Amino acid sequence: MFRKSFLPVSVIVSILIIWELSSRILAIPTWVLPAPTIIMQEAINGWSNYQHHILSTVFLTVSGFAIGVSVGLLIAIMLHLLPKIREALYPLLIMSQNIPIIVLAPLLVIWFGFGVTPKLLIITLVCFFPVAVSTIDGLRHTNPELIHYMKMAGATKKQIFTKLELPHAVPQMFSGLKISATYSVMGAVISEWLGANKGIGVYMTLASSSFRTDRVFVAILFIMILCLIFFAIIIAAEKIILKWHPGKEEQS
Amino acid sequence: MSTLELENISKSFGELTILDHLDLRVNDGEFVSLLGPSGSGKSTIFHLIGGLYQADHGTIRLDNEAINGKKGSISYMPQTPSLFPWRTVLENVVLSVELHQKPDKQKALEMLERAGLKDYANAYPHELSGGMRQRVAFVRSLLSPQSFICLDEPFSALDEFTRLEMQKWLLTIWEQERPSVLFVTHNIEEAIFLSDRILVLGSKPANVIKEFTIDFKRPRNEELTLTQEFLEKKKEIYQTLRGVLND
Ligand SMILES: Nc1ncnc2c1ncn2[C@@H]1O[C@H](COP(=O)(O)OP(=O)(O)OP(=O)(O)O)[C@@H](O)[C@H]1O
Ligand SMILES: [Mg+2]
């Protein structure tokens, strides 16, 4: 663990040092590019000013992620069990990802107002897709030998699904979950730009319109931290649930 | 209580005819082995009995009841162990029971102990050796609720010692309960040691070309394998098989 994190940490530290030195030596104005120390200062001193924004974004992200993942799993299971519908809807599913969220967002506001609904919808839209696609793949690529065995043993369709296909898809599902988790934070921030009174997105817009570049960076910092935390939670869950997975031991 | 009858069974995959008017019968409480060259269609016979494929022609009867295309009527050990990687050894061996009724964990543990796998009850399949996985699959088929047992090369991945142990163990279990068994193997000695009857399959398309009755008295033990009669049977079967291969 220590060895693995040593390299990326040292890269980040070097970048920060170069950044700090160059903004001091070149005397870059703070509103253009604040030095890391100034950002840290604002992060510490301004905590009471912005902490409610972070809480609000965390809440929005978690709810959106939960809804998005549930929708993704439901779609995956439905499309897997009903191959005809899968043929019909799969292209639509992929096309849904070609709609730029930035364009869609104002439309959602027109349709659903400024409440929490359009925000959750946006997060759901960015979250469901990775989970749905990876789970469908996992379900479809179940080991045919095991399916043969289950059929010979007299398993019903339902038993084959619950005892074989579903657990078989779990590792794939987790790779989708990891992507969705990081997307969900982005989705939340974007949705807050639409018009909200709280959230990191709001804090960021206020900061940039008043040229408080240091605060913009504080916002970015917290977006990254949230992403990492969500990612870590998914990995921890994966470690616990996939303790049977052969690849796991060799990696650590 | 358990007889199996294949009558006039034909099966082709596309252009390739694998089984052509095959007849085969396993009587109640009988241990029958199938010997035949690789690719002759032994596993295909099992897949037909298990209902995975439909025969093009002919009838399969279990206890005088046609079971063509009916799944789940036999206890089956596939040629590859086919264990579920996310289930522990114990959870794997009760799988086939679980599909039909509530599993008896205690009985499963006892069987695992007899197969020398007691310490691995909570291990996952990827932590086992190939031979151990085969033994798990074997125990799973013994625990299945169906009374007719089909074993597809159950001991092929085992070393000589473990193989002999497993054969003896299979015989003790079999002699206690006398289930009807259809057994596929490549090993002539194994077939003689275990069976009441040996069917030699010819290839392309497969058919029973010769049948050997093995009437050594039971219970059998390993000394049998060194007797003159045993070696003579072995020689006889070996020559038949060579004949098949030379055709
Ligand atoms: N699903 C399938 N589709 C097409 N051909 C098949 C299929 N299953 C088996 N075959 C063919 O049927 C033939 C017999 O296969 P089978 O697995 O029954 O052989 P086997 O006697 O069990 O051989 P081995 O001793 O090597 O296990 C082979 O030529 C194989 O290519
Ligand atoms: Mg075979």
Side-chain angles (χ1 to χ4, degrees), chain B residues 39 41-44 79 152-153 184 186:
Chain B
K42 303 182 294 297
S43 299
T44 306
Q79 194 166 356
D152 199 346
E153 302 189 34
V184 165
H186 283 145

Side-chain angles (χ1 to χ4, degrees), chain B residues 196-207:
Chain B
D196 294 316
R197 239 171 350 119
I198 297 175
L199 309 176
V200 176
L201 286 186
S203 136
K204 312 268 166 257
N207 217 324

Side-chain angles (χ1 to χ4, degrees), chain A residues 81 139 142-143 146-147 149-151 153-170 244, chain B residues 82-87 91-92 94-103 105 140:
Chain A
L81 294 180
L139 289 170
T142 307
N143 185 342
L146 299 185
I147 295 184
Y149 177 78
M150 284 297 266
K151 284 185 178 165
T156 59
K157 278 225 161 64
K158 189 175 153 224
Q159 284 172 327
I160 293 181
F161 181 71
T162 56
K163 288 183 193 294
L164 175 56
E165 291 174 320
L166 212 50
H168 188 273
V170 171
W244 55 269
Chain B
S82 305
L83 303 177
F84 287 25
W86 53 88
R87 285 180 169 237
E91 287 163 351
N92 259 296
V94 295
L95 173 68
S96 51
V97 192
E98 203 180 292
L99 299 175
H100 307 279
Q101 65 211 45
K102 206 173 146 31
K105 289 257 158 92
R140 180 177 62 183

